[in-house]
Each structure stands twice: as structure tokens, then as C-alpha cells.
Amino acid sequence: VSSVVVPVSDALATISGKYTKVWAFDSANQEWQLYDTDTAAPSTLTSMTRGQGYWLEISEAVTLLYAGNSYALVAGWNLIGWLG
């Protein structure tokens, strides 16, 4: 299975305005990467890769839809396995 990489904002377009942060762990470099919707904050996470786990901070219950996949998310922190 090849890796499918999608920009974070594209991957989460269906819940735009309902999330604030996305965290992922880069196992190759042993460091956390962050995507923050606060433009003043530095973001080191630029894309989402199929098969990777991501922590999403959600402001209200919402359903994320992408490429035929559906993720039911609750307010607060959610861990998802990205199917791309």
C-alpha cells in the first residue's frame, strides 16, 4: 500500500472551524509535530499520511468526512487512524 499524503487543511476541510490543533508523532525523528490553526503559532505538521495516528482537538461534536471515510469526533481530544 503506497502512502497517500494530504495537506492538513485539505484533509480536515469538512470540519473547518471546528478544530484547533492536530498532533502527530514522527517516529523516524522521535519528535511530536503540531498543526495549529492559530497562525501566530508555528506548525511543524503540514500533511496527513494514510496509516498514521493523529490527535485532533475538536471544539464541538462533529463528523469528519474524507475520501469515503467517516470519523465521529467529540468535543475535546480525539485519536484517529487516518485512512486517507
Side-chain angles (χ1 to χ4, degrees):
V1 176
S2 64
S3 294
V4 176
V5 178
V6 181
V8 174
S9 58
D10 292 353
L12 305 181
T14 61
I15 60 167
S16 182
K18 306 288 197 248
Y19 69 96
T20 54
K21 293 178 180 65
V22 180
W23 284 96
F25 189 73
D26 178 351
S27 60
N29 295 313
Q30 293 293 297
E31 62 187 17
W32 285 95
Q33 294 181 323
L34 169 67
Y35 178 88
D36 195 325
T37 57
D38 179 352
T39 55
S43 290
T44 54
L45 179 68
T46 58
S47 60
M48 295 176 72
T49 304
R50 182 186 306 178
Q52 173 76 36
Y54 295 92
W55 283 99
L56 284 70
E57 186 177 32
I58 305 297
S59 59
E60 62 187 67
V62 67
T63 300
L64 168 61
L65 301 171
Y66 187 85
N69 298 302
S70 174
Y71 306 85
L73 306 171
V74 298
W77 288 99
N78 295 260
L79 175 62
I80 65 167
W82 185 245
L83 300 172

